Amino acid sequence: MGATGRVLRAVIMGPPGSGKGTVSSRIIKHFALKHLSSGDLLRDNMNKGTEIGVLAKTFIDQGKLIPDDVMTRLALHELKNLAQYSWLLDGFPRTVPQAEALDKVYQIDTVIDLNVPFDVIKQRLTSRWIHPSSGRVYNTEFNPPRKIGIDDITGEPLIQREDDKPETVSKRLKAYEAQTKLVLEYYRKKGVLETFSGTETNMIWPHVYAFLQTKLPDISQKEAMTP
């Protein structure tokens, strides 16, 4: 299974706030993989007004989840253009029917699962506070205001965006877990699931990196020593 010239079909999974974006960009920097994010792909198709983009937008505008077959069509259509490349899928598949549809066309070699404790993510995602009139952003962990809940300059109260409120974050994490538990189980049964656990990206990354080195050559060997 060494780092031969074959293409690698990989999927990355992880809850919102797990550092999936950072890990994905590091993977792309070190290994010759095409990163395919379903979110970016969706936005791109909606902006361009493609047939599938228009279709997807009708569901989003109604506040509905995009059906499996629409997401699958979107992803598979894009993957057709990437046949000769190794790729990293991000945000797809999200459901077992999507995973099964993908399996009919491609054999997934590896699924990288970022396992970060929910309480750590919650702390990370709820630490952002904003001063509405100036747009100043504080982070209670990295750059806290001098006085909790108060803007340093005006002395006015800080607010939390709806997205950053603990109840919203909890809901998003629960929804992620409910949706992906079965997908992770599906890939675990297939023997391709690799779980990387830790509380921060810099702890997890070296393990992901070492694992991928057994599959692909590093294209940025000279910078490989720097994180």
Side-chain angles (χ1 to χ4, degrees):
M1 277 303 288
T4 54
R6 61 184 289 275
V7 292
L8 185 76
R9 305 282 180 234
V11 173
I12 188 165
M13 294 180 73
S18 62
K20 183 164 63 93
T22 308
V23 171
S24 296
S25 60
R26 288 185 189 179
I27 290 174
I28 302 315
K29 186 182 147 204
H30 285 282
F31 303 99
L33 282 160
K34 296 279 182 198
H35 181 215
L36 190 66
S37 150
S38 61
D40 292 349
L41 189 56
L42 211 47
R43 275 186 292 278
D44 192 38
N45 274 268
M46 292 197 300
N47 292 341
K48 286 185 181 149
T50 65
E51 183 196 343
I52 203 145
V54 171
L55 183 59
K57 194 175 183 318
T58 57
F59 292 101
I60 290 174
D61 289 346
Q62 295 167 29
K64 291 181 180 163
L65 281 177
I66 297 167
D68 286 332
D69 61 320
V70 177
M71 277 315 294
T72 300
R73 260 174 66 197
L74 188 71
L76 292 181
H77 180 74
E78 191 62 24
L79 288 174
K80 236 189 220 129
N81 308 325
L82 300 177
Q84 72 272 42
Y85 300 103
S86 291
W87 39 249
L88 178 69
L89 276 180
D90 177 354
F92 178 89
R94 278 218 173 123
T95 65
V96 172
Q98 289 176 11
E100 288 171 341
L102 180 64
D103 263 350
K104 287 196 176 88
V105 194
Y106 299 102
Q107 188 188 342
I108 299 302
D109 300 300
T110 191
V111 176
I112 294 165
D113 169 39
L114 304 180
N115 179 30
V116 180
F118 276 6
D119 51 351
V120 171
I121 292 178
K122 229 176 171 157
Q123 208 177 343
R124 192 180 289 168
L125 294 184
T126 56
S127 57
R128 188 162 48 172
W129 290 80
I130 291 165
H131 178 242
S133 52
S134 70
R136 269 188 290 280
V137 176
Y138 296 90
N139 184 302
T140 48
E141 292 188 23
F142 309 120
N143 57 330
R146 284 198 283 273
K147 194 172 167 204
I148 281 191
I150 301 293
D151 179 48
D152 287 350
I153 293 162
T154 62
E156 291 167 359
L158 301 174
I159 62 155
Q160 266 196 314
R161 283 176 44 233
E162 207 49 56
D163 275 1
D164 301 330
K165 288 183 176 166
E167 52 277 25
T168 313
V169 170
S170 289
K171 246 193 226 145
R172 277 172 68 203
L173 290 172
K174 284 203 180 88
Y176 170 83
E177 190 177 35
Q179 199 180 32
T180 53
K181 204 195 275 162
L182 295 169
V183 180
L184 290 172
E185 195 45 49
Y186 174 84
Y187 284 127
R188 185 178 287 121
K189 282 191 183 128
K190 283 199 172 303
V192 293
L193 187 68
E194 291 290 333
T195 299
F196 299 90
S197 304
T199 51
E200 51 189 283
T201 305
N202 287 340
M203 282 167 56
I204 294 177
W205 167 246
H207 300 284
V208 175
Y209 176 70
F211 169 70
L212 282 173
Q213 265 195 314
T214 66
K215 309 273 181 195
L216 287 169
D218 185 336
I219 49 168
S220 69
Q221 212 75 58
K222 29 182 201 310
E223 323 159 70
M225 292 308 120
T226 58

